């Protein structure tokens, strides 16, 4: 006899309701520039001038930033008044 699969169980074998917080998605300055159809240096200047929040993930030397969807949304809401 074949056993029926419980629809509440996902393919990974865990229950459908997951209490773990979702991982934050990070975008590069280039990703944001493409998304907003703006020049890379414009987005970089917004980050540098602290008008657009970003996380500096550079190890040494050159600056490297990551921007969350929330930071981008907050910036867009604030600047579309």
């Amino acid at each position: 006899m074949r056993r029926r699969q419980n629809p509440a169980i996902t393919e990974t074998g865990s229950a459908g309701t997951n209490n773990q917080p979702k991982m934050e998605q990070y975008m590069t300055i280039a990703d944001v520039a493409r998304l907003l159809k703006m020049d890379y240096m414009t987005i970089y200047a917004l980050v540098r001038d602290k008008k657009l929040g970003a996380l500096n993930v550079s190890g040494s030397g050159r600056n490297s930033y990551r921007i969350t969807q929330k930071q981008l949304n907050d910036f867009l809401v604030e600047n579309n008044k």
Side-chain angles (χ1 to χ4, degrees):
M1 182 198 289
R2 190 170 178 182
R3 200 169 109 181
R4 286 182 61 201
Q5 186 174 5
N6 185 342
I9 304 296
T10 63
E11 290 180 21
T12 59
S14 61
T17 57
N18 189 350
N19 292 333
Q20 294 179 352
K22 291 185 179 181
M23 289 291 291
E24 193 92 49
Q25 295 291 322
Y26 292 93
M27 296 176 279
T28 64
I29 289 178
D31 293 336
V32 173
R34 270 191 301 275
L35 186 66
L36 299 181
K37 297 180 180 161
M38 297 176 76
D39 186 67
Y40 172 91
M41 288 306 293
T42 302
I43 304 301
Y44 179 79
L46 291 169
V47 169
R48 184 192 61 219
D49 297 341
K50 299 188 187 317
K51 293 179 181 176
L52 172 58
L55 177 67
N56 188 338
V57 294
S58 59
S60 62
R62 198 173 147 196
N63 285 334
S64 184
Y65 295 97
R66 296 296 180 269
I67 301 161
T68 65
Q69 185 66 51
K70 181 181 180 335
Q71 289 170 315
L72 180 57
N73 289 344
D74 291 347
F75 170 79
L76 293 173
V77 167
E78 187 66 31
N79 289 284
N80 279 325
K81 290 183 177 179

